Amino acid sequence: MIGVRRVVKGTEPVSRAAALEERLAEWSSRTGVAVEVWALPGRALPSRVDGLVHGVIGDVLDEVERQGRARAVCVALTVGSGGLRLTVSDDGQGTAAETCEARRAEAARLGGGLSVNAVRGEGTTVSLVLPAGALG
């Protein structure tokens, strides 16, 4: 399947989340890599956090496109009382993206962390975690 598939239904996403889904759909259509959206927040994020989230997703998509071996990308972005968690996984070659270094530093400035876990030949998972305090 090519395109974005929303797997978990919830409240209607705010316009920025809808814009993210649109961006993912366009990327999927252009690259032929399927995208599954497991979760998006039902509320707006502070601009600095929103920029970081979109930057991390963009970095992963760029790496997936550059490697050219993934068939699917999964995105889950949740916001709760404990903070924010973003997970972006692909089933590609399992090479870590060095482009995440600047994002890792930005996450640390917000009191959070960013990790990249790759299993060669099986894929990569990038996780961003931010504390509730970073969300305002």
Side-chain angles (χ1 to χ4, degrees), residues 7-20:
V7 178
V8 175
K9 303 243 183 237
T11 58
E12 189 61 31
V14 294
S15 62
R16 192 70 170 133
L20 176 57

Side-chain angles (χ1 to χ4, degrees), residues 49-123:
V49 172
D50 187 63
L52 177 58
V53 165
H54 283 263
V56 168
I57 293 170
D59 289 349
V60 172
L61 296 179
D62 288 348
E63 184 68 13
V64 167
E65 188 172 359
R66 188 178 71 74
Q67 292 292 325
R69 293 188 177 98
R71 294 179 320 271
V73 174
C74 297
V75 177
L77 174 59
T78 57
V79 178
S81 60
L84 175 143
R85 176 174 291 278
L86 169 66
T87 304
V88 185
S89 300
D90 70 69
D91 64 353
Q93 291 300 301
T95 55
E98 290 77 24
T99 57
C100 285
E101 289 308 312
R103 308 287 182 204
R104 184 175 283 124
E106 191 174 350
R109 282 193 295 277
L110 292 170
L114 185 139
S115 64
V116 178
N117 297 302
V119 177
R120 187 152 305 281
E122 294 185 24

